[in-house]
Amino acid sequence: MANITAADINKLRQMTGAGMMDCKKALIENDGDFQNAIDWLRKKGQKVAEKRADRDAKEGFVLSKTNADNTFGIVLMLNCETDFVAKNDDFKLFATKVADLALEKKPENLESLKGLSLDGVILSELINEQVGKIGEKIDFNAYHFISAPAVYAYNHHGNRLATILGMSKGHSETLDIIGKDICMQIAAMNPLAIDKDGIDQTVINREIEIGMDQARQEGKPEAMLENIAKGKLNKFFKERTLLNQEFIKDGKKTVSQVIAEADSELKVTAFCRVALGD
């Protein structure tokens, strides 16, 4: 049996919002596995908040940018140990220079990005130099890109969260407004996928299992459990897939409806959301 510490219990409590005793029991029942403990709490009817302990979140600077013709966009995260460093102008300038380098060179992944040369020095070596200057550990821990006919970027205030979005059309006043609005939608609502087809089957299976267990504990007949769980799954799709979410600027419409009203042929091709602590 895993050794469940007070720190483990508090961490689960910060992650879920559940009570201390419930968190302790969840960890004991699941041998210290946090994901299984979260699922256990949900099955027991606990309302689980999707949040993480602030003390577990790394500090840093998150930035998204697009190229001049808005057909290629990047989002990256430069982490550090303290909020003091994250707000330092030189730290932010370093992240911005690397973002511009990524837009120019279009590396395929984070490893390739760190292998690029900036001001005549390999980026991985520059990072080590910055560690020496700043006096605490820093590193780029996230880098993603999107290439599409139209790419939009959004940086939330404080640069702790940023998004990029690819669309099949753009570069008109109306479509550009929609693209920027959807970027903010992604930031605010944190969808897992564009549509339900993008949700991994293991996630779907877990949601069905949780829904059935919840219904069972509510005393529902065994024959009804699967249908009840599928109803809960549809709610999950509505809340966690971008096109099915309520549009943040008009709750009477879904994101899909807003897009279709602007242009029936307009499609979301990809999106990415990066936030400190994720």
Side-chain angles (χ1 to χ4, degrees):
M1 178 180 291
N3 180 31
I4 309 301
T5 66
D8 292 332
I9 296 168
N10 188 53
K11 179 179 177 180
L12 183 60
R13 181 176 182 274
Q14 294 294 328
M15 291 172 69
T16 64
M20 293 290 284
M21 294 306 297
D22 290 323
C23 288
K24 180 179 180 179
K25 187 173 182 180
L27 287 167
I28 291 172
E29 291 289 331
N30 293 280
D31 201 28
D33 187 293
F34 278 85
Q35 184 57 63
N36 288 341
I38 292 171
D39 290 347
W40 187 91
L41 286 167
R42 294 181 62 195
K43 290 175 182 178
K44 294 298 180 183
Q46 293 282 348
K47 185 176 181 181
V48 175
E50 291 190 13
K51 60 180 182 178
R52 303 178 71 92
D54 288 342
R55 63 183 180 83
D56 288 340
K58 293 180 180 179
E59 294 299 332
F61 188 78
V62 185
L63 180 66
S64 63
K65 296 188 75 174
T66 63
N67 61 359
D69 63 1
N70 297 313
T71 57
F72 185 83
I74 64 94
V75 58
L76 55 78
M77 177 169 62
L78 177 60
N79 288 115
C80 59
E81 295 178 27
T82 63
D83 184 57
F84 177 78
V85 168
K87 293 179 179 178
N88 180 276
D89 288 340
D90 289 340
F91 182 82
K92 292 186 284 188
L93 179 60
F94 180 50
T96 302
K97 283 185 175 181
V98 174
D100 290 337
L101 179 67
L103 285 176
E104 178 188 355
K105 300 298 185 180
K106 301 180 180 179
E108 289 294 319
N109 51 46
L110 184 58
E111 183 179 0
S112 298
L113 173 64
K114 291 182 179 180
L116 295 177
S117 177
L118 178 63
D119 298 329
V121 183
I122 300 300
L123 181 56
S124 58
E125 296 177 6
L126 275 178
I127 293 171
N128 291 332
E129 288 182 12
Q130 290 292 319
V131 171
K133 290 178 181 179
I134 293 171
E136 65 180 57
K137 180 181 178 181
I138 72 165
D139 200 2
F140 287 95
N141 288 308
Y143 163 72
H144 304 278
F145 69 88
I146 291 175
S147 179
V151 181
Y152 301 95
Y154 170 71
N155 292 288
H156 193 60
H157 179 70
N159 287 94
R160 299 179 65 86
L161 163 65
T163 63
I164 48 175
L165 168 74
M167 303 286 283
S168 61
K169 292 182 179 182
H171 314 311
S172 72
E173 183 176 355
T174 299
L175 298 188
D176 286 349
I177 290 173
I178 289 174
K180 292 173 183 177
D181 284 345
I182 296 176
C183 267
M184 288 189 286
Q185 173 90 24
I186 295 164
M189 302 306 294
N190 192 19
L192 294 177
I194 295 173
D195 205 348
K196 62 182 181 180
D197 293 338
I199 299 292
D200 190 274
Q201 188 61 45
T202 58
V203 175
I204 294 174
N205 292 342
R206 187 172 74 238
E207 290 300 316
I208 290 175
E209 179 188 349
I210 290 170
M212 290 180 69
D213 278 352
Q214 288 176 337
R216 185 178 292 114
Q217 293 187 51
E218 291 168 0
K220 299 295 191 295
E222 196 70 23
M224 295 176 59
L225 297 185
E226 186 173 355
N227 285 337
I228 292 172
K230 287 181 178 178
K232 291 178 180 289
L233 181 63
N234 287 332
K235 182 181 178 182
F236 172 81
F237 288 144
K238 181 177 176 62
E239 293 175 347
R240 301 309 307 274
T241 58
L242 177 61
L243 296 182
N244 297 299
Q245 287 179 341
E246 292 182 357
F247 186 47
I248 54 174
K249 287 193 170 183
D250 184 352
K252 296 179 180 179
K253 298 178 182 179
T254 64
V255 172
S256 178
Q257 288 171 330
V258 170
I259 292 173
E261 287 175 3
D263 187 327
S264 60
E265 297 179 352
L266 183 62
K267 305 292 182 184
V268 173
T269 62
F271 73 83
C272 184
R273 179 184 187 274
V274 174
L276 293 175
D278 284 355

